[in-house]
Amino acid sequence: MQQPTPTNTPPVALTIAGSDSSGGAGIQADLKTFTALGVYGASVLTALTAQNTKGVRAVHTPPAAFVTAQIEAVFDDLTVRAVKTGMLANATIVTAVADALARRAGIAVVVDPVMVATSGDSLLEPDAVAAIKGRLIPLATLITPNLPEAAALLGTTIAQSLDDAEAQATALLALGCHAVLVKGGHRQGPQATDVLATAGGKVEHIQAPWIETPNTHGTGCTLSAAVAALLATGVPLDEAVRGAKRYLTAAISAGQSHTIGSGHGPVDHMFDITGRPRPI
């Protein structure tokens, strides 16, 4: 019997990041997010972590050549529309990833410059910061640093006000990326406020209600993955950022009643999987 010819080609997004053995962050969070947003997810492992909701116990990194081999294998076969990078661990891996992505001009690249886990554990060797600034960020459609990461990239103090965050977001554009989303922590009344700055000079506040919950493991990974997923579907950047913020807010809200582990539990990525949530 002749097999039917496939006619549906779902958009593909690729995560290049570390693994979280507890499932709440890293590539596990990214793939859940891709799936929830209707995008086929591929993955390249840059590090294995032994971690749970309380912290990171150990990190193992593969040779950079193997990271490159994974990337090449994916691109040789799949039509990747967007890439998200997360934990890259060291300068050698950052350079390998940048070299591979530089050969794929025109693909949306979301760079989450992961430096520290929610638990406070370091996820990036100090010498890798220069490689991220000099090699990876210039390739980025969007970078998504939190307040400490933005300060580290600029070699300055952590922003204490919304005005400070706006100034740092604008300053980060000088590293060569198209846009910067500085993830807030700015408690201006009942809203959580992120700052989006684009190369055209536009600065926008992306707001959502504050949700009091300890279950925030993987929120940074989830937000950047959601942006990449929406970009893979053809959504414009500013709409993708706003849609990703709405998806993350809903996932945090849905996960606040869960008890998974005894530390910082994860958000609920699959809060509406049967309905394939489309936050935009």
Side-chain angles (χ1 to χ4, degrees):
M1 180 177 178
Q2 185 177 4
Q3 295 294 320
T5 302
T7 57
N8 182 33
T9 304
V12 177
L14 169 65
T15 171
I16 304 175
S19 168
D20 171 10
S21 50
S22 70
I27 62 162
Q28 287 84 350
D30 296 343
L31 292 175
K32 291 173 186 177
T33 300
F34 292 167
T35 300
L37 292 170
V39 173
Y40 181 85
S43 62
V44 167
L45 279 167
T46 58
L48 302 175
T49 67
Q51 69 172 295
N52 54 31
T53 63
K54 295 185 290 185
V56 179
R57 297 183 178 183
V59 175
H60 175 74
T61 55
F66 184 69
V67 173
T68 299
Q70 293 178 78
I71 296 173
E72 296 300 326
V74 172
F75 276 102
D76 284 350
D77 189 39
L78 305 184
T79 302
V80 177
R81 296 186 183 177
V83 175
K84 169 260 168 85
T85 69
M87 176 187 178
L88 300 179
N90 58 51
T92 305
I93 290 176
V94 172
T95 300
V97 171
D99 286 344
L101 294 181
R103 297 191 289 271
R104 274 89 186 185
I107 294 176
V109 176
V110 178
V111 173
D112 185 5
V114 176
M115 298 180 184
V116 178
T118 301
S119 61
D121 297 291
S122 177
L123 297 175
L124 185 71
E125 295 180 6
D127 66 345
V129 176
I132 287 176
K133 290 171 63 175
R135 295 298 314 281
L136 191 59
I137 287 179
L139 303 174
T141 306
L142 175 73
I143 66 172
T144 62
N146 59 27
L147 295 176
E149 290 162 351
L153 289 170
L154 291 170
T156 189
T157 56
I158 296 174
Q160 299 298 313
S161 68
L162 200 52
D163 287 343
D164 291 343
E166 289 181 6
Q168 291 190 7
T170 301
L172 285 167
L173 289 171
L175 297 179
C177 54
H178 175 74
V180 177
L181 180 69
V182 174
K183 296 176 294 192
H186 294 290
R187 195 156 196 166
Q188 304 289 326
Q191 300 292 309
T193 305
D194 301 338
V195 175
L196 176 64
T198 60
K202 181 180 178 182
V203 176
E204 181 180 354
H205 294 170
I206 311 295
Q207 296 183 318
W210 274 100
I211 300 170
E212 295 292 346
T213 174
N215 296 335
T216 57
H217 185 52
T219 49
C221 303
T222 300
L223 181 64
S224 55
V227 174
L230 293 170
L231 290 174
T233 68
V235 173
L237 178 62
D238 58 343
E239 293 182 27
V241 171
R242 289 192 291 269
K245 180 79 168 182
R246 287 192 290 271
Y247 169 77
L248 175 61
T249 301
I252 294 172
S253 179
Q256 65 182 321
S257 62
H258 293 183
T259 300
I260 300 176
S262 55
H264 290 284
V267 304
D268 182 5
H269 299 90
M270 316 304 265
F271 62 90
D272 192 22
I273 189 60
T274 55
R276 299 180 82 101
R278 305 277 182 173
I280 61 167

